[in-house]
Amino acid sequence: MAQRGLPQSKEALLQSYNKRLRDDLRSILDNFTEIIKTAKIEEDTQVARSTQSEQDFYEMNVRAANIVRAGESLTRLVSDLKQALTLSDFPWVCEAVALRAAQLHAVREDCDRRLLALRDDIATDLYELEEEFYSSRYK
Amino acid sequence: MISQNVMDGCGRNLVDELGRKVNRTSQLDFGVGPDADPAYKWDTKRKLLSLLEVCALPSANERLRSLEEVEKEIASILQNAGFAIQELAKDKPVERQLERFYAQFHSSLSRVETELTGHIRYLTQVTTGQPHEGSSNAPRKDALMAMHRVEHTRIKLGELAQLCEQSLGPAPP
């Protein structure tokens, strides 16, 4: 992974993204695996069966909540990545600025072109009017 | 006398021509017309480069779309996990269904990991850490000044047309 001289904050941010991704995926997988393991019925238990089933029920609830929490954390990570892509993607921002500048340049060119055409039309009309006025007895 | 008639005729033609020119400046496609807001309000009407316009760029759109797909995959991870546990909770779980849900859960998990790792790697390559100092303010100012010129021309032509109307009187039917 090529890492140029990024500021420490940016590097730490990107590493935090990686860490969050790994932790959340591991959490989902581990908790799911443990739920499947807990579903196994054991004949010999140290406590009464009802107590064991209560414990298993509670454990499964907690692990399911952990899976959901990890899923939500992954969704938040995706949102952070979208924000980072929008703001920090240097080539993309350059392209966007250049495109916008070109659009505005085209608008300016269009305005000036139309104004020049208008000026030429009015100059022609003015010439005719001047011809008429200066050749009449009302000048 | 002839010249007076000719003058009247020329004046009438000028008024008509001015009216046409006023309409032509009004038809400039800036979302403004004869009844539109004055020029100083145009910059508030002009849409700044919104996120949607930025997303019109193909590379940006593809990346954001793939992140949308990743979000759907995350939802399908949780869904398949739930279906697998639900199947297991039945009195007579069907093994094939269980294996299918588990396989889907696992493949979604791998896909999410691959996609997000790829995005983070891309970010590592393109992020500079420095703020982007480019801006489109200068061309935007130029475009705004051009639109002001057009509006000013329109106003002046309108005034001239009005003056001619007043001088020559209303046009004959």
Side-chain angles (χ1 to χ4, degrees):
Chain A
M1 198 184 291
Q3 289 194 358
R4 300 187 298 279
L6 284 175
Q8 214 167 10
S9 59
K10 283 286 178 188
E11 211 166 313
L13 183 69
L14 293 167
Q15 279 174 6
S16 78
Y17 287 160
N18 271 323
K19 185 174 183 307
R20 277 164 67 181
L21 175 66
R22 279 196 308 268
D23 290 347
D24 291 335
L25 291 175
R26 192 179 306 128
S27 169
I28 290 175
L29 192 60
D30 290 348
N31 282 293
F32 180 72
T33 312
E34 289 301 319
I35 287 177
I36 302 294
K37 280 185 192 169
T38 312
K40 184 180 170 187
I41 298 171
E42 290 175 358
E43 293 297 329
D44 303 322
T45 55
Q46 289 184 353
V47 295
R49 189 162 280 187
S50 59
T51 313
Q52 186 65 42
S53 67
E54 280 294 325
Q55 183 189 330
D56 291 344
F57 175 75
Y58 180 69
E59 188 181 338
M60 284 187 185
N61 269 328
V62 168
R63 291 199 184 278
N66 280 341
I67 291 174
V68 172
R69 188 200 52 76
E72 196 215 351
S73 173
L74 268 179
T75 313
R76 231 178 290 127
L77 174 64
V78 168
S79 166
D80 290 346
L81 280 175
K82 280 184 187 174
Q83 190 176 316
L85 271 175
T86 308
L87 297 173
S88 311
D89 191 347
F90 206 82
W92 180 24
V93 174
C94 289
E95 207 179 321
V97 167
L99 182 69
R100 184 62 175 159
Q103 285 172 349
L104 291 167
H105 184 73
V107 164
R108 184 180 62 97
E109 292 282 320
D110 190 40
C111 284
D112 288 341
R113 187 173 42 83
R114 288 172 192 252
L115 282 176
L116 284 173
L118 202 60
R119 183 203 67 179
D120 293 339
D121 282 347
I122 292 178
T124 311
D125 294 336
L126 187 62
Y127 178 77
E128 289 171 7
L129 281 173
E130 279 176 347
E131 281 270 336
E132 190 55 45
F133 178 71
Y134 287 114
S135 61
S136 75
R137 60 186 176 97
Y138 295 102
K139 61 176 177 250
Chain B
M1 197 59 168
I2 293 173
S3 290
Q4 179 68 35
N5 286 338
V6 168
M7 277 299 294
D8 282 349
C10 282
R12 186 65 46 217
N13 285 343
L14 176 61
V15 167
D16 294 342
E17 191 63 25
L18 282 173
R20 277 197 291 279
K21 286 177 176 29
V22 166
N23 287 336
R24 217 190 315 164
T25 56
S26 304
Q27 282 161 12
L28 284 168
D29 188 18
F30 306 119
V32 293
D35 300 323
D37 292 341
Y40 65 86
K41 283 193 181 175
W42 285 355
D43 53 350
T44 60
K45 276 194 176 183
R46 301 315 297 162
K47 288 177 195 166
L48 295 174
L49 193 61
S50 66
L51 189 61
L52 285 176
E53 286 177 356
V54 170
C55 291
L57 298 169
S59 60
N61 206 15
E62 281 161 19
R63 294 209 167 266
L64 289 175
R65 199 175 288 141
S66 78
L67 281 173
E68 296 273 323
E69 295 298 318
V70 166
E71 278 183 335
K72 290 178 188 166
E73 283 291 330
I74 292 169
S76 80
I77 288 173
L78 298 183
Q79 200 172 34
N80 287 319
F83 285 154
I85 294 168
Q86 216 170 27
E87 186 64 36
L88 202 59
K90 288 180 183 170
D91 290 333
K92 289 182 184 174
V94 179
E95 203 170 309
R96 258 175 77 179
Q97 283 278 71
L98 197 58
E99 279 176 12
R100 187 166 66 88
F101 288 136
Y102 179 74
Q104 282 172 354
F105 163 79
H106 205 264
S107 71
S108 297
L109 210 62
S110 308
R111 259 200 302 275
V112 164
E113 187 179 2
T114 312
E115 286 286 334
L116 288 182
T117 310
H119 281 291
I120 294 172
R121 194 182 305 125
Y122 173 76
L123 263 178
T124 315
Q125 287 168 356
V126 300
T127 309
T128 60
Q130 305 299 328
H132 191 278
E133 292 184 7
S135 91
S136 55
N137 278 344
R140 184 169 165 268
K141 185 71 184 170
D142 289 342
L144 201 61
M145 280 167 54
M147 288 192 275
H148 279 266
R149 284 197 289 276
V150 167
E151 175 68 6
H152 179 73
T153 308
R154 196 169 69 83
I155 291 170
K156 286 294 179 193
L157 285 175
E159 284 172 3
L160 191 57
Q162 218 173 8
L163 199 64
C164 291
E165 280 283 330
Q166 283 170 1
S167 312
L168 298 169

